[in-house]
Amino acid sequence: MSPCTALREIAAFCESHELETFTLTHPDISFEALTEKAREIERAYNPDVDGGELEHFYQEGVSILQSMPLYMVPCYGIGYSLSWICAMQFYQRFCEDREQALTTYN
């Protein structure tokens, strides 16, 4: 995995976490308001992405609906993200010093 891909993944995890946190702290929010917040967060993490002709799908909540497991079981998403980041960190340590990485892991 390239460093750019890894950074994009981490940004995606952060984006998901921010929306999950907002969702869990605003349980009575309307779907329309949640959709608007999701779009705001998405633009913050991906300022160069233009929805273009797909903008109406974003306004209808496609960003939220495509990742329903994150909102149905948010602890899974957070745990998965942390595990993934820890695995990337371990791999980096393994590439730098295999014996020390294995000692630390054990």
Side-chain angles (χ1 to χ4, degrees):
M1 172 182 300
S2 74
C4 290
T5 302
L7 290 174
R8 280 193 297 271
E9 289 291 327
I10 291 170
F13 293 148
C14 293
E15 180 182 346
S16 295
H17 175 67
E18 188 170 339
L19 186 57
E20 286 175 20
T21 300
F22 181 82
T23 302
L24 292 172
T25 57
H26 297 83
D28 297 328
I29 192 168
S30 70
F31 185 75
E32 291 77 19
L34 182 59
T35 298
E36 185 177 320
K37 184 64 174 181
R39 196 69 176 122
E40 175 188 321
I41 293 169
E42 187 174 27
R43 284 188 186 113
Y45 282 91
N46 300 295
D48 297 333
V49 175
D50 176 19
E53 67 266 3
L54 301 177
E55 187 62 34
H56 67 281
F57 289 114
Y58 287 111
Q59 291 173 351
E60 292 177 7
V62 72
S63 296
I64 296 169
L65 298 175
Q66 72 182 358
S67 302
M68 285 187 79
L70 290 175
Y71 312 107
M72 292 169 55
V73 282
C75 291
Y76 169 79
I78 293 167
Y80 177 81
S81 300
L82 288 172
S83 298
W84 208 88
I85 291 169
C86 289
M88 289 188 336
Q89 184 181 46
F90 178 72
Y91 178 71
Q92 178 186 1
R93 289 181 180 183
F94 185 82
C95 289
E96 292 170 356
D97 185 347
R98 181 180 182 159
E99 293 302 318
Q100 181 61 39
L102 292 174
T103 299
T104 301
Y105 178 78
N106 288 330

